[in-house]
Amino acid sequence: MASSLTKDAATQGNPASGGKTFFGHPRGLATLFMTEMWERFSFYGMRALLVLYLISGGTDAKPGAQGGGLAMTMATASAIYAVYLAMVYLLAMPGGWFADRVWGPRKTVIIGGCVVMLGHLTLAVPGTAMFFVGMALVALGSGLLKANISTMVGHLYDGPQDPRRDGGFTIFYIGINVGGFAAPLVVGTIGQSVNWHLGFASAAVGMGLGLLQFIIGTRHLAPLSSTVPTPLSIEERNSWLRKGLLWLVVAAVFYGIVVGTGTFTLNWALIPIALLGLIIPVSVLARIKRDKDLTSAEQTKVSGYIWFFVAAAVFWMIFDQAGSTLSGFAEKNTADTVFGMHFPSTWFQSVNPLWVMALAPVFAWMWLALAKRLKEPSTTIKFAIAMVMIGISYFVFIVPMGMSSDGTKVSPMWLLMVYMIQTMGELCLSPVGLSVTTKLAPEKYASQMLGVWFLAVTAGDCIVSLLSTAGADLSGVGVLSAEATLAVLAGLAIWLNRKKITGLMGDVR
């Protein structure tokens, strides 16, 4: 937001000040809660189907599984899946930029929702070309929506010191997990058991419902969500258009030559995007680190933050394989009946949100109880614990992999255990990472640093995509063991260097 906006101007006419409430919070929170819930419903529904649809009909599909997919190998499917997730989080940065400079948060969310819905409808049309167009549209729309809906939650409150603010974001976070939990049960079941494209269409219905209630409920949002904080001047707009057209022409000419010479393969698209997803996070951090406007204290804090960023990239590299490596194992190697009841393998994608909702209150209580005794672990220790936990989850995962190597179907309890361990690591890293990002951010980059945090997800997923395109078997014991060992060693490195990192953090704990 522009610094010239005073608190009075920001809250004038704000629905937060009175009227009906949502669990004691501004009525607009219900609108944003439902919008995010339905957007996550569509996102996680599509994610649950993605890899299974890509391998359907191919050699990596389960015998007797529904056909009609793209018959790709698991390695190719994993690379596409990782690039897709990376782009969702990478595009959150330009999504925030469009809200700040062009459309404002409210209009950007509406446009983003429409693009997401169009993407799912495109996925509902059979054909390889339509699949990639649809996936690109969903990623683009999610990037526009993701960054700005959280911003509008903040607009509902009277500044950072409003005592209801943290509780409001907690309720909002519940909406994310409710949508993530329900999506595989509904979209996954329709897509996997009835028809893939009908499943993608049902995800579009979810986004449509979210968009409809958002438009109806906009009257409950803060007026600030309709403003463009720092609109582009005509000169800036023309400059951006020229640069955009130039890069578009360069890309069109380059790929036109590649296609025209008959040398185009899918890797010509996947590898450049994955490399871009690594180069951008590194260049953004380097630019911030080299900024001479920063004080020596801010420079030191950025150095400390780099430790957390690298650790987070390794964490998400493993964690986000839930929709690829673990999903493929659930489909081919895990029993799909419990107490005689059959269920589709996409239901396993609901396990993580379920564990989050079950364990988050426990962790919140635990941190509070330890804090009262002055024994709460520092941010550095929590990160170290998270890295060790995500590594342990893969060491545990290797056990059922060995048990199923002869074609035996293992108990679903193995995956439930793996997801539980990963969720425990997530609860040590994700909320803490968001918090430490805002605390270590230089004043000049206060608004941009959350986007930098999401770039850690982009970097981790792009590493996975590059490994897949290079021929690494992400479902093999060797690669899984290497990833698990890397995570544990990263956790150990953070713990051994905890005093150094704490020193770099200055007054932040």
Side-chain angles (χ1 to χ4, degrees):
M1 296 300 107
S3 59
S4 60
L5 286 173
T6 65
K7 179 181 176 182
D8 289 339
T11 58
Q12 184 179 6
N14 192 332
S17 58
K20 293 183 178 179
T21 64
F22 179 65
F23 295 108
H25 291 267
R27 177 65 180 81
L29 183 61
T31 297
L32 299 175
F33 174 97
M34 295 296 292
T35 304
E36 181 70 358
M37 184 192 76
W38 282 115
E39 189 275 333
R40 291 291 89 181
F41 175 89
S42 70
F43 175 83
Y44 282 105
M46 184 267 200
R47 195 186 85 153
L49 295 178
L50 181 57
V51 168
L52 298 179
Y53 171 69
L54 289 174
I55 67 173
S56 176
T59 56
D60 286 331
K62 180 172 70 175
Q66 180 194 166
L70 299 186
M72 294 182 180
T73 65
M74 189 65 192
T76 302
S78 295
I80 293 171
Y81 167 83
V83 161
Y84 165 69
L85 286 187
M87 290 304 100
V88 167
Y89 289 95
L90 180 63
L91 290 169
M93 288 196 74
W97 183 87
F98 268 97
D100 286 342
R101 306 300 308 275
V102 184
W103 293 321
R106 192 181 300 187
K107 187 175 181 180
T108 305
V109 165
I110 292 174
I111 294 172
C114 290
V115 174
V116 168
M117 186 165 60
L118 177 61
H120 287 304
L121 291 173
T122 304
L123 287 167
V125 179
T128 303
M130 297 303 288
F131 170 80
F132 284 108
V133 171
M135 190 173 63
L137 288 172
V138 174
L140 176 61
S142 296
L144 290 172
L145 191 148
K146 186 174 182 61
N148 296 294
I149 196 163
S150 298
T151 300
M152 288 192 288
V153 174
H155 289 165
L156 296 172
Y157 299 95
D158 296 329
Q161 305 307 318
D162 191 321
R164 302 168 299 170
R165 188 183 180 94
D166 286 351
F169 274 98
T170 299
I171 294 173
F172 180 73
Y173 188 66
I174 292 172
I176 295 174
N177 286 284
V178 169
F181 171 73
L185 303 181
V186 178
V187 178
T189 301
I190 294 173
Q192 194 174 8
S193 303
V194 182
N195 181 274
W196 296 115
H197 302 288
L198 189 60
F200 292 130
S202 67
V205 172
M207 186 67 256
L209 290 172
L211 191 58
L212 178 63
Q213 68 84 39
F214 178 80
I215 293 171
I216 294 173
T218 50
R219 66 185 184 275
H220 300 298
L221 302 179
L224 186 59
S225 66
S226 295
T227 63
V228 181
T230 52
L232 284 173
S233 64
I234 295 177
E235 293 77 12
E236 287 177 310
R237 188 185 298 268
N238 291 337
S239 175
W240 278 104
L241 284 173
R242 284 195 299 271
K243 291 177 182 177
L245 288 173
L246 175 62
W247 282 108
L248 183 62
V249 169
V250 170
V253 171
F254 175 78
Y255 281 103
I257 294 172
V258 172
V259 172
T261 56
T263 58
F264 180 81
T265 64
L266 192 56
N267 283 350
W268 277 102
L270 293 177
I271 293 176
I273 294 174
L275 289 173
L276 192 66
L278 283 177
I279 292 169
I280 290 176
V282 172
S283 61
V284 168
L285 277 173
R287 177 172 59 85
I288 294 174
K289 178 63 180 170
R290 293 196 310 265
D291 193 331
K292 295 180 179 179
D293 290 341
L294 303 187
T295 65
S296 58
E298 288 176 326
Q299 286 277 5
T300 301
K301 288 180 179 179
V302 172
S303 297
Y305 182 72
I306 291 173
W307 281 84
F308 297 115
F309 183 91
V310 173
V314 175
F315 181 91
W316 297 119
M317 176 184 74
I318 296 174
F319 185 89
D320 275 350
Q321 290 181 56
S324 53
T325 303
L326 296 186
S327 180
F329 184 82
E331 170 71 358
K332 292 183 64 178
N333 304 98
T334 306
D336 55 4
T337 55
V338 174
F339 302 121
M341 183 187 76
H342 171 79
F343 62 92
S345 63
T346 47
W347 283 22
F348 282 104
Q349 297 298 303
S350 291
V351 173
N352 171 248
L354 186 62
W355 276 126
V356 169
M357 290 186 285
L359 294 176
V362 176
F363 272 70
W365 170 85
M366 181 176 65
W367 298 142
L368 184 61
L370 290 171
K372 289 179 178 178
R373 294 172 175 81
L374 302 179
K375 293 183 178 180
E376 182 183 5
S378 65
T379 297
T380 308
I381 299 300
K382 288 178 181 177
F383 259 71
I385 294 171
M387 301 308 297
V388 172
M389 295 297 289
I390 198 71
I392 289 174
S393 75
Y394 262 18
F395 282 127
V396 172
F397 181 44
I398 289 170
V399 176
M401 288 192 67
M403 294 169 60
S404 62
S405 60
D406 60 352
T408 302
K409 295 293 184 73
V410 301
S411 167
M413 295 304 296
W414 282 105
L415 282 182
L416 294 182
M417 186 188 308
V418 171
Y419 280 121
M420 181 189 71
I421 298 170
Q422 291 192 348
T423 302
M424 292 169 68
E426 177 190 5
L427 291 172
C428 287
L429 181 136
S430 187
V432 178
L434 287 169
S435 177
V436 79
T437 297
T438 60
K439 291 176 181 177
L440 293 177
E443 184 177 353
K444 181 178 179 179
Y445 297 98
S447 299
Q448 298 181 38
M449 285 300 282
L450 281 181
V452 173
W453 170 251
F454 288 132
L455 289 180
V457 184
T458 298
D461 286 329
C462 285
I463 292 171
V464 172
S465 182
L466 289 172
L467 287 173
S468 296
T469 53
D473 182 8
L474 295 177
S475 301
V477 172
V479 174
L480 293 175
S481 299
E483 290 183 88
T485 302
L486 175 63
V488 171
L489 290 176
L492 181 61
I494 292 173
W495 184 79
L496 290 174
N497 290 277
R498 61 192 182 280
K499 291 183 179 179
K500 176 182 178 180
I501 299 171
T502 300
L504 292 171
M505 293 170 67
D507 57 349
V508 174
R509 293 293 179 268

